Amino acid sequence: MEHKILITGTMGAGKTTAIGQISEIPPISTDVENSRRDDFDKPTTTAAFDYGELDLGEGEVLRIYGTPGQERFSFMWPVLARGAIGIIYLIDCSRPEPLADLENFIDAFGSAADNVASVVALNRIPEDQPLAVETFQALLESRGLPWPAMSADVRRREDVLDVLEILLSLGEAQTASMEA
Amino acid sequence: MNDTSARVPAELTGVCEQAVAEVMADTDGVILAMVATVDGFPVAACSAPGWDVPANRLAAMASSGHALGDSVAGELTKTSCENVIIDADRLSIVFLAVPEFRDPRLLLGLAARKTTSLGTVIYSAGACARRIAREANALA
């Protein structure tokens, strides 16, 4: 059985890195040259999606899609969300307004994320923001979203797997409650 | 132009604007000609009367479509993608890379009614892309 999940977040949040850490196939990339290095000093940017796979054992395979991060590619987001059982909102906490970044993505996915298990993963938490997880959790609660927020250094495979484990647990619980 | 447009020299924008205007005028049935950066910022766009074309969105879609074509071509043949063809109900749409110009890499998009043959659309798009490359390189 195959399951599809999505990793979304701003340009440079670490989506491609996260998929590269856990994929058991060479990740498929649609990176193109970034023509605005003065805005964001990154040589390439994802134009369509990233893709990787992870064998969960017992015949179950996880298909992992990473969205383009830039708003002009937002037409891809609902396309990629179709059939997903889970969404990881990956937030770069070193950006100026990471809470607003999360809200933008929540709003952009809108109904496409209804009934989809979701986790907020916080990457690059600055040392002077030790309460980042609590702050994000408070935001989610204020919006009535029962999603967990957790820190994750996506350069570490174990961290990405921890996020996935939580997401899949939530997905299973959600599926069970919908079937009940 | 607002911040969603490409940041390219005015001379290059001028070359692209003239090229898309002329390919539209010279090719029957073309309803859209557009140049965008490979990462989806519009540089120049020209559309037929009655076609309200959102250049920003189409530039991003051209970028995604061509990047996906590149990915498929690379997976199967370890080569890059020359053009992406979309065969829609009423239109033939071609996205192709402007050859031999890299600062920045550019894509050309051409959409034409089905009354114009696909071969004509591809030929016109290729000629227009080569013209842009020639004139853009001459600016350097």
Side-chain angles (χ1 to χ4, degrees), chain B residues 46-111:
Chain B
C46 190
S47 56
W51 289 83
D52 183 18
V53 176
N56 289 340
R57 280 175 60 80
L58 281 169
M61 289 174 176
S63 170
S64 297
H66 198 270
L68 194 53
D70 242 353
S71 182
V72 173
E75 192 77 10
L76 294 176
T77 67
K78 309 294 180 198
T79 59
S80 59
C81 168
E82 291 184 9
N83 58 50
V84 172
I85 298 165
I86 298 171
D87 186 9
D89 275 352
R90 295 167 56 202
L91 297 173
S92 300
I93 304 143
V94 177
F95 296 130
L96 76 170
V98 172
E100 297 170 6
F101 184 71
R102 291 168 180 268
D103 189 24
R105 289 175 188 266
L106 298 173
L107 300 174
L108 173 73
L110 209 60

Short mmCIF file of all heavy atoms in Angstrom, two decimals, chain B residues 46-111:
data_model
loop_
_atom_site.label_atom_id
_atom_site.label_comp_id
_atom_site.label_asym_id
_atom_site.label_seq_id
_atom_site.Cartn_x
_atom_site.Cartn_y
_atom_site.Cartn_z
N CYS B 46 2.55 39.16 -24.54
CA CYS B 46 1.68 39.80 -25.52
C CYS B 46 0.52 38.85 -25.78
O CYS B 46 0.74 37.66 -25.99
CB CYS B 46 2.50 40.03 -26.78
SG CYS B 46 1.71 41.05 -28.00
N SER B 47 -0.70 39.34 -25.69
CA SER B 47 -1.84 38.44 -25.93
C SER B 47 -2.80 39.06 -26.93
O SER B 47 -2.83 40.27 -27.11
CB SER B 47 -2.56 38.12 -24.61
OG SER B 47 -2.98 39.30 -23.99
N ALA B 48 -3.57 38.18 -27.56
CA ALA B 48 -4.51 38.63 -28.58
C ALA B 48 -5.69 39.34 -27.92
O ALA B 48 -6.01 39.05 -26.76
CB ALA B 48 -5.01 37.42 -29.37
N PRO B 49 -6.34 40.24 -28.65
CA PRO B 49 -7.51 40.92 -28.09
C PRO B 49 -8.54 39.89 -27.61
O PRO B 49 -8.78 38.89 -28.28
CB PRO B 49 -8.05 41.74 -29.27
CG PRO B 49 -6.87 41.93 -30.16
CD PRO B 49 -6.02 40.70 -30.01
N GLY B 50 -9.11 40.16 -26.43
CA GLY B 50 -10.13 39.26 -25.90
C GLY B 50 -9.57 38.17 -25.01
O GLY B 50 -10.32 37.43 -24.38
N TRP B 51 -8.26 38.04 -24.96
CA TRP B 51 -7.65 37.05 -24.09
C TRP B 51 -7.02 37.77 -22.91
O TRP B 51 -6.00 38.44 -23.05
CB TRP B 51 -6.60 36.23 -24.84
CG TRP B 51 -7.20 35.30 -25.84
CD1 TRP B 51 -7.60 35.62 -27.10
CD2 TRP B 51 -7.50 33.92 -25.65
NE1 TRP B 51 -8.13 34.51 -27.73
CE2 TRP B 51 -8.08 33.46 -26.85
CE3 TRP B 51 -7.36 33.03 -24.58
CZ2 TRP B 51 -8.51 32.14 -27.01
CZ3 TRP B 51 -7.78 31.72 -24.75
CH2 TRP B 51 -8.35 31.28 -25.95
N ASP B 52 -7.64 37.63 -21.76
CA ASP B 52 -7.13 38.27 -20.55
C ASP B 52 -6.17 37.29 -19.88
O ASP B 52 -6.58 36.38 -19.16
CB ASP B 52 -8.30 38.61 -19.61
CG ASP B 52 -7.84 39.35 -18.37
OD1 ASP B 52 -6.71 39.88 -18.39
OD2 ASP B 52 -8.60 39.38 -17.39
N VAL B 53 -4.91 37.48 -20.16
CA VAL B 53 -3.91 36.48 -19.75
C VAL B 53 -3.15 36.97 -18.50
O VAL B 53 -2.54 38.03 -18.52
CB VAL B 53 -2.90 36.25 -20.90
CG1 VAL B 53 -1.81 35.31 -20.45
CG2 VAL B 53 -3.64 35.68 -22.11
N PRO B 54 -3.21 36.19 -17.41
CA PRO B 54 -2.44 36.55 -16.21
C PRO B 54 -0.98 36.14 -16.40
O PRO B 54 -0.61 35.00 -16.15
CB PRO B 54 -3.13 35.73 -15.10
CG PRO B 54 -3.70 34.54 -15.80
CD PRO B 54 -3.99 34.95 -17.23
N ALA B 55 -0.17 37.09 -16.82
CA ALA B 55 1.22 36.77 -17.18
C ALA B 55 2.00 36.20 -15.99
O ALA B 55 2.82 35.29 -16.17
CB ALA B 55 1.92 38.02 -17.72
N ASN B 56 1.73 36.72 -14.78
CA ASN B 56 2.48 36.22 -13.63
C ASN B 56 2.24 34.74 -13.40
O ASN B 56 3.18 33.96 -13.19
CB ASN B 56 2.08 36.99 -12.36
CG ASN B 56 2.60 38.41 -12.36
OD1 ASN B 56 3.52 38.73 -13.09
ND2 ASN B 56 1.98 39.25 -11.57
N ARG B 57 0.97 34.36 -13.44
CA ARG B 57 0.65 32.95 -13.19
C ARG B 57 1.19 32.07 -14.31
O ARG B 57 1.73 30.99 -14.07
CB ARG B 57 -0.87 32.78 -13.07
CG ARG B 57 -1.41 33.16 -11.72
CD ARG B 57 -2.92 33.09 -11.68
NE ARG B 57 -3.47 31.78 -11.96
CZ ARG B 57 -3.52 30.78 -11.06
NH1 ARG B 57 -3.05 30.97 -9.84
NH2 ARG B 57 -4.06 29.62 -11.37
N LEU B 58 1.04 32.54 -15.55
CA LEU B 58 1.51 31.72 -16.66
C LEU B 58 3.03 31.58 -16.68
O LEU B 58 3.55 30.53 -17.05
CB LEU B 58 1.01 32.30 -17.99
CG LEU B 58 -0.45 31.94 -18.26
CD1 LEU B 58 -0.98 32.75 -19.41
CD2 LEU B 58 -0.58 30.44 -18.55
N ALA B 59 3.72 32.63 -16.24
CA ALA B 59 5.19 32.53 -16.17
C ALA B 59 5.59 31.46 -15.16
O ALA B 59 6.49 30.65 -15.41
CB ALA B 59 5.79 33.88 -15.78
N ALA B 60 4.90 31.44 -14.02
CA ALA B 60 5.20 30.41 -13.00
C ALA B 60 4.85 29.02 -13.52
O ALA B 60 5.58 28.06 -13.31
CB ALA B 60 4.45 30.72 -11.71
N MET B 61 3.72 28.93 -14.23
CA MET B 61 3.32 27.63 -14.78
C MET B 61 4.30 27.15 -15.85
O MET B 61 4.60 25.96 -15.95
CB MET B 61 1.90 27.71 -15.34
CG MET B 61 0.85 27.84 -14.26
SD MET B 61 -0.79 28.12 -14.95
CE MET B 61 -1.77 28.09 -13.45
N ALA B 62 4.79 28.10 -16.67
CA ALA B 62 5.79 27.74 -17.67
C ALA B 62 7.03 27.18 -17.00
O ALA B 62 7.62 26.18 -17.43
CB ALA B 62 6.15 28.96 -18.51
N SER B 63 7.42 27.82 -15.90
CA SER B 63 8.60 27.36 -15.16
C SER B 63 8.38 25.95 -14.61
O SER B 63 9.23 25.07 -14.77
CB SER B 63 8.88 28.34 -14.01
OG SER B 63 9.86 27.83 -13.14
N SER B 64 7.23 25.74 -13.98
CA SER B 64 6.94 24.41 -13.42
C SER B 64 6.87 23.36 -14.51
O SER B 64 7.43 22.27 -14.39
CB SER B 64 5.61 24.43 -12.65
OG SER B 64 5.67 25.30 -11.56
N GLY B 65 6.15 23.70 -15.59
CA GLY B 65 5.98 22.73 -16.67
C GLY B 65 7.30 22.36 -17.31
O GLY B 65 7.58 21.18 -17.56
N HIS B 66 8.13 23.35 -17.57
CA HIS B 66 9.41 23.06 -18.21
C HIS B 66 10.34 22.32 -17.26
O HIS B 66 11.06 21.40 -17.68
CB HIS B 66 10.06 24.35 -18.71
CG HIS B 66 11.14 24.10 -19.73
ND1 HIS B 66 12.45 23.90 -19.37
CD2 HIS B 66 11.08 23.97 -21.07
CE1 HIS B 66 13.16 23.67 -20.47
NE2 HIS B 66 12.36 23.70 -21.51
N ALA B 67 10.30 22.69 -15.98
CA ALA B 67 11.15 21.98 -15.00
C ALA B 67 10.74 20.52 -14.89
O ALA B 67 11.59 19.63 -14.78
CB ALA B 67 11.04 22.66 -13.63
N LEU B 68 9.44 20.28 -14.95
CA LEU B 68 8.96 18.90 -14.91
C LEU B 68 9.41 18.14 -16.16
O LEU B 68 9.85 16.98 -16.07
CB LEU B 68 7.44 18.89 -14.78
CG LEU B 68 6.77 17.59 -14.40
CD1 LEU B 68 7.38 17.00 -13.14
CD2 LEU B 68 5.28 17.83 -14.19
N GLY B 69 9.32 18.80 -17.31
CA GLY B 69 9.80 18.18 -18.55
C GLY B 69 11.28 17.85 -18.47
O GLY B 69 11.73 16.77 -18.90
N ASP B 70 12.04 18.75 -17.89
CA ASP B 70 13.48 18.52 -17.71
C ASP B 70 13.73 17.32 -16.83
O ASP B 70 14.63 16.51 -17.08
CB ASP B 70 14.11 19.77 -17.06
CG ASP B 70 15.15 20.41 -17.95
OD1 ASP B 70 15.49 19.84 -19.00
OD2 ASP B 70 15.62 21.49 -17.59
N SER B 71 12.92 17.22 -15.79
CA SER B 71 13.08 16.13 -14.84
C SER B 71 12.77 14.79 -15.51
O SER B 71 13.50 13.81 -15.34
CB SER B 71 12.14 16.38 -13.65
OG SER B 71 12.29 15.40 -12.68
N VAL B 72 11.70 14.75 -16.30
CA VAL B 72 11.34 13.51 -17.00
C VAL B 72 12.42 13.15 -18.02
O VAL B 72 12.86 11.99 -18.11
CB VAL B 72 9.96 13.66 -17.69
CG1 VAL B 72 9.66 12.45 -18.56
CG2 VAL B 72 8.86 13.86 -16.66
N ALA B 73 12.87 14.14 -18.78
CA ALA B 73 13.91 13.88 -19.80
C ALA B 73 15.18 13.38 -19.13
O ALA B 73 15.83 12.44 -19.61
CB ALA B 73 14.18 15.15 -20.60
N GLY B 74 15.52 13.98 -18.01
CA GLY B 74 16.73 13.57 -17.30
C GLY B 74 16.61 12.16 -16.75
O GLY B 74 17.56 11.38 -16.77
N GLU B 75 15.41 11.82 -16.29
CA GLU B 75 15.19 10.48 -15.73
C GLU B 75 15.32 9.41 -16.81
O GLU B 75 15.89 8.35 -16.59
CB GLU B 75 13.77 10.44 -15.13
CG GLU B 75 13.48 9.23 -14.28
CD GLU B 75 14.10 9.32 -12.89
OE1 GLU B 75 14.59 10.39 -12.51
OE2 GLU B 75 14.08 8.28 -12.20
N LEU B 76 14.82 9.72 -18.01
CA LEU B 76 14.79 8.70 -19.06
C LEU B 76 16.04 8.70 -19.93
O LEU B 76 16.47 7.65 -20.39
CB LEU B 76 13.56 8.91 -19.95
CG LEU B 76 12.21 8.67 -19.26
CD1 LEU B 76 11.07 9.00 -20.21
CD2 LEU B 76 12.10 7.22 -18.81
N THR B 77 16.60 9.87 -20.16
CA THR B 77 17.68 9.93 -21.16
C THR B 77 18.91 10.67 -20.68
O THR B 77 19.87 10.81 -21.44
CB THR B 77 17.20 10.63 -22.45
OG1 THR B 77 16.94 12.00 -22.15
CG2 THR B 77 15.93 9.99 -23.00
N LYS B 78 18.89 11.15 -19.44
CA LYS B 78 20.02 11.95 -18.92
C LYS B 78 20.29 13.18 -19.77
O LYS B 78 21.42 13.65 -19.86
CB LYS B 78 21.29 11.11 -18.82
CG LYS B 78 21.13 9.79 -18.09
CD LYS B 78 20.81 10.00 -16.62
CE LYS B 78 20.66 8.67 -15.90
NZ LYS B 78 19.96 8.79 -14.63
N THR B 79 19.26 13.67 -20.43
CA THR B 79 19.42 14.89 -21.22
C THR B 79 18.44 15.93 -20.70
O THR B 79 17.59 15.63 -19.87
CB THR B 79 19.13 14.65 -22.71
OG1 THR B 79 17.79 14.18 -22.83
CG2 THR B 79 20.09 13.62 -23.30
N SER B 80 18.56 17.14 -21.23
CA SER B 80 17.62 18.18 -20.80
C SER B 80 16.45 18.25 -21.77
O SER B 80 16.49 17.70 -22.87
CB SER B 80 18.34 19.52 -20.70
OG SER B 80 18.89 19.84 -21.94
N CYS B 81 15.43 18.96 -21.34
CA CYS B 81 14.20 19.07 -22.12
C CYS B 81 14.29 20.27 -23.06
O CYS B 81 14.68 21.35 -22.64
CB CYS B 81 13.04 19.25 -21.14
SG CYS B 81 11.51 19.75 -21.85
N GLU B 82 13.95 20.05 -24.33
CA GLU B 82 13.98 21.18 -25.27
C GLU B 82 12.66 21.94 -25.25
O GLU B 82 12.65 23.16 -25.20
CB GLU B 82 14.29 20.67 -26.67
CG GLU B 82 15.73 20.17 -26.78
CD GLU B 82 16.11 19.77 -28.17
OE1 GLU B 82 15.32 20.02 -29.10
OE2 GLU B 82 17.18 19.18 -28.32
N ASN B 83 11.56 21.21 -25.32
CA ASN B 83 10.29 21.92 -25.22
C ASN B 83 9.22 21.04 -24.60
O ASN B 83 9.34 19.82 -24.56
CB ASN B 83 9.83 22.48 -26.58
CG ASN B 83 9.69 21.41 -27.63
OD1 ASN B 83 9.05 20.41 -27.38
ND2 ASN B 83 10.29 21.62 -28.79
N VAL B 84 8.22 21.69 -24.07
CA VAL B 84 7.07 21.01 -23.47
C VAL B 84 5.85 21.42 -24.28
O VAL B 84 5.64 22.61 -24.53
CB VAL B 84 6.89 21.42 -22.00
CG1 VAL B 84 5.58 20.87 -21.43
CG2 VAL B 84 8.06 20.94 -21.16
N ILE B 85 5.10 20.43 -24.73
CA ILE B 85 3.91 20.71 -25.55
C ILE B 85 2.66 20.32 -24.77
O ILE B 85 2.59 19.22 -24.23
CB ILE B 85 3.98 19.92 -26.87
CG1 ILE B 85 5.20 20.36 -27.68
CG2 ILE B 85 2.70 20.08 -27.67
CD1 ILE B 85 5.55 19.43 -28.80
N ILE B 86 1.71 21.22 -24.71
CA ILE B 86 0.42 20.93 -24.07
C ILE B 86 -0.64 20.95 -25.16
O ILE B 86 -0.83 21.98 -25.84
CB ILE B 86 0.11 21.97 -22.96
CG1 ILE B 86 1.19 21.88 -21.87
CG2 ILE B 86 -1.28 21.73 -22.38
CD1 ILE B 86 1.11 22.99 -20.85
N ASP B 87 -1.30 19.83 -25.31
CA ASP B 87 -2.32 19.69 -26.35
C ASP B 87 -3.67 19.84 -25.67
O ASP B 87 -4.22 18.88 -25.15
CB ASP B 87 -2.16 18.31 -27.01
CG ASP B 87 -3.09 18.14 -28.19
OD1 ASP B 87 -3.73 19.12 -28.60
OD2 ASP B 87 -3.20 17.00 -28.68
N ALA B 88 -4.19 21.04 -25.64
CA ALA B 88 -5.46 21.32 -24.97
C ALA B 88 -6.60 21.27 -25.98
O ALA B 88 -6.37 21.16 -27.19
CB ALA B 88 -5.40 22.68 -24.28
N ASP B 89 -7.83 21.34 -25.48
CA ASP B 89 -9.00 21.23 -26.36
C ASP B 89 -8.98 22.28 -27.47
O ASP B 89 -9.21 21.98 -28.62
CB ASP B 89 -10.29 21.41 -25.55
CG ASP B 89 -10.73 20.10 -24.92
OD1 ASP B 89 -10.12 19.06 -25.25
OD2 ASP B 89 -11.66 20.13 -24.10
N ARG B 90 -8.70 23.50 -27.07
CA ARG B 90 -8.82 24.59 -28.05
C ARG B 90 -7.48 25.18 -28.45
O ARG B 90 -7.41 26.02 -29.34
CB ARG B 90 -9.70 25.71 -27.47
CG ARG B 90 -11.15 25.27 -27.23
CD ARG B 90 -11.89 26.28 -26.38
NE ARG B 90 -11.87 27.62 -26.93
CZ ARG B 90 -12.07 28.74 -26.22
NH1 ARG B 90 -12.30 28.64 -24.93
NH2 ARG B 90 -12.04 29.92 -26.80
N LEU B 91 -6.43 24.80 -27.73
CA LEU B 91 -5.14 25.46 -27.95
C LEU B 91 -4.00 24.45 -28.00
O LEU B 91 -4.06 23.39 -27.38
CB LEU B 91 -4.84 26.44 -26.80
CG LEU B 91 -5.78 27.63 -26.61
CD1 LEU B 91 -5.41 28.38 -25.33
CD2 LEU B 91 -5.73 28.58 -27.81
N SER B 92 -2.98 24.83 -28.74
CA SER B 92 -1.69 24.15 -28.64
C SER B 92 -0.76 25.11 -27.92
O SER B 92 -0.68 26.30 -28.27
CB SER B 92 -1.11 23.84 -30.02
OG SER B 92 -1.98 23.01 -30.74
N ILE B 93 -0.06 24.60 -26.91
CA ILE B 93 0.80 25.46 -26.10
C ILE B 93 2.20 24.86 -26.06
O ILE B 93 2.35 23.65 -25.85
CB ILE B 93 0.26 25.59 -24.66
CG1 ILE B 93 -1.19 26.09 -24.70
CG2 ILE B 93 1.12 26.51 -23.81
CD1 ILE B 93 -2.10 25.49 -23.68
N VAL B 94 3.19 25.68 -26.32
CA VAL B 94 4.58 25.21 -26.32
C VAL B 94 5.39 26.08 -25.36
O VAL B 94 5.30 27.31 -25.40
CB VAL B 94 5.20 25.30 -27.74
CG1 VAL B 94 6.66 24.89 -27.71
CG2 VAL B 94 4.43 24.43 -28.72
N PHE B 95 6.15 25.43 -24.49
CA PHE B 95 7.13 26.13 -23.66
C PHE B 95 8.51 25.62 -24.06
O PHE B 95 8.73 24.41 -24.09
CB PHE B 95 6.93 25.81 -22.17
CG PHE B 95 5.63 26.29 -21.59
CD1 PHE B 95 4.83 25.43 -20.86
CD2 PHE B 95 5.20 27.59 -21.78
CE1 PHE B 95 3.62 25.87 -20.31
CE2 PHE B 95 3.99 28.04 -21.24
CZ PHE B 95 3.21 27.17 -20.51
N LEU B 96 9.40 26.51 -24.39
CA LEU B 96 10.75 26.06 -24.71
C LEU B 96 11.80 27.00 -24.15
O LEU B 96 11.54 28.18 -23.92
CB LEU B 96 10.95 25.84 -26.21
CG LEU B 96 11.12 27.02 -27.14
CD1 LEU B 96 11.53 26.52 -28.50
CD2 LEU B 96 9.84 27.80 -27.25
N ALA B 97 12.98 26.43 -23.91
CA ALA B 97 14.07 27.22 -23.36
C ALA B 97 14.69 28.07 -24.47
O ALA B 97 14.88 27.59 -25.59
CB ALA B 97 15.12 26.30 -22.76
N VAL B 98 15.00 29.32 -24.15
CA VAL B 98 15.76 30.15 -25.09
C VAL B 98 17.19 29.61 -25.10
O VAL B 98 17.83 29.54 -24.05
CB VAL B 98 15.74 31.63 -24.66
CG1 VAL B 98 16.67 32.48 -25.52
CG2 VAL B 98 14.30 32.17 -24.74
N PRO B 99 17.67 29.19 -26.27
CA PRO B 99 18.98 28.51 -26.30
C PRO B 99 20.14 29.48 -26.17
O PRO B 99 20.04 30.65 -26.55
CB PRO B 99 18.98 27.85 -27.68
CG PRO B 99 18.14 28.76 -28.52
CD PRO B 99 17.08 29.32 -27.62
N GLU B 100 21.21 28.99 -25.62
CA GLU B 100 22.50 29.69 -25.64
C GLU B 100 22.45 31.09 -25.04
O GLU B 100 23.13 32.00 -25.51
CB GLU B 100 23.05 29.74 -27.08
CG GLU B 100 23.32 28.36 -27.62
CD GLU B 100 23.63 28.37 -29.10
OE1 GLU B 100 23.75 29.48 -29.67
OE2 GLU B 100 23.74 27.29 -29.68
N PHE B 101 21.58 31.26 -24.05
CA PHE B 101 21.57 32.51 -23.31
C PHE B 101 21.33 32.17 -21.86
O PHE B 101 20.36 31.46 -21.54
CB PHE B 101 20.50 33.48 -23.82
CG PHE B 101 20.53 34.82 -23.13
CD1 PHE B 101 21.57 35.71 -23.36
CD2 PHE B 101 19.55 35.16 -22.21
CE1 PHE B 101 21.63 36.93 -22.70
CE2 PHE B 101 19.59 36.38 -21.55
CZ PHE B 101 20.63 37.26 -21.79
N ARG B 102 22.18 32.65 -20.97
CA ARG B 102 22.14 32.14 -19.59
C ARG B 102 22.08 33.24 -18.53
O ARG B 102 22.26 32.94 -17.36
CB ARG B 102 23.39 31.30 -19.34
CG ARG B 102 23.40 30.01 -20.12
CD ARG B 102 24.76 29.34 -20.09
NE ARG B 102 24.73 28.12 -20.85
CZ ARG B 102 24.47 26.92 -20.34
NH1 ARG B 102 24.23 26.78 -19.06
NH2 ARG B 102 24.44 25.85 -21.10
N ASP B 103 21.87 34.47 -18.90
CA ASP B 103 21.97 35.51 -17.88
C ASP B 103 20.78 36.47 -17.94
O ASP B 103 20.93 37.60 -18.39
CB ASP B 103 23.28 36.27 -18.04
CG ASP B 103 23.52 37.22 -16.86
OD1 ASP B 103 22.96 36.95 -15.79
OD2 ASP B 103 24.25 38.20 -17.03
N PRO B 104 19.61 36.04 -17.46
CA PRO B 104 19.29 34.75 -16.87
C PRO B 104 18.78 33.79 -17.93
O PRO B 104 18.51 34.19 -19.07
CB PRO B 104 18.15 35.10 -15.90
CG PRO B 104 17.42 36.19 -16.64
CD PRO B 104 18.47 36.97 -17.38
N ARG B 105 18.64 32.51 -17.54
CA ARG B 105 18.02 31.55 -18.45
C ARG B 105 16.56 31.96 -18.65
O ARG B 105 15.89 32.36 -17.70
CB ARG B 105 18.07 30.15 -17.86
CG ARG B 105 19.46 29.55 -17.84
CD ARG B 105 19.44 28.21 -17.14
NE ARG B 105 20.77 27.70 -16.95
CZ ARG B 105 21.37 26.86 -17.79
NH1 ARG B 105 20.73 26.43 -18.86
NH2 ARG B 105 22.60 26.44 -17.55
N LEU B 106 16.11 31.85 -19.90
CA LEU B 106 14.75 32.31 -20.23
C LEU B 106 13.94 31.18 -20.87
O LEU B 106 14.50 30.28 -21.50
CB LEU B 106 14.83 33.48 -21.22
CG LEU B 106 15.53 34.75 -20.74
CD1 LEU B 106 15.67 35.75 -21.89
CD2 LEU B 106 14.77 35.39 -19.58
N LEU B 107 12.63 31.28 -20.71
CA LEU B 107 11.70 30.38 -21.37
C LEU B 107 10.80 31.20 -22.28
O LEU B 107 10.44 32.34 -21.94
CB LEU B 107 10.81 29.66 -20.35
CG LEU B 107 11.49 28.78 -19.31
CD1 LEU B 107 10.46 28.28 -18.30
CD2 LEU B 107 12.19 27.61 -19.98
N LEU B 108 10.42 30.61 -23.41
CA LEU B 108 9.44 31.24 -24.29
C LEU B 108 8.19 30.38 -24.27
O LEU B 108 8.28 29.14 -24.36
CB LEU B 108 9.99 31.33 -25.71
CG LEU B 108 8.97 31.81 -26.76
CD1 LEU B 108 8.71 33.30 -26.60
CD2 LEU B 108 9.45 31.52 -28.16
N GLY B 109 7.05 31.02 -24.16
CA GLY B 109 5.78 30.31 -24.24
C GLY B 109 4.96 30.84 -25.39
O GLY B 109 4.90 32.06 -25.61
N LEU B 110 4.39 29.92 -26.16
CA LEU B 110 3.54 30.32 -27.29
C LEU B 110 2.28 29.48 -27.25
O LEU B 110 2.35 28.25 -27.12
CB LEU B 110 4.31 30.07 -28.60
CG LEU B 110 3.99 30.96 -29.79
CD1 LEU B 110 4.28 32.42 -29.49
CD2 LEU B 110 4.82 30.52 -31.00
N ALA B 111 1.13 30.13 -27.34
CA ALA B 111 -0.14 29.41 -27.36
C ALA B 111 -0.91 29.83 -28.61
O ALA B 111 -0.98 31.01 -28.93
CB ALA B 111 -0.96 29.72 -26.11
#
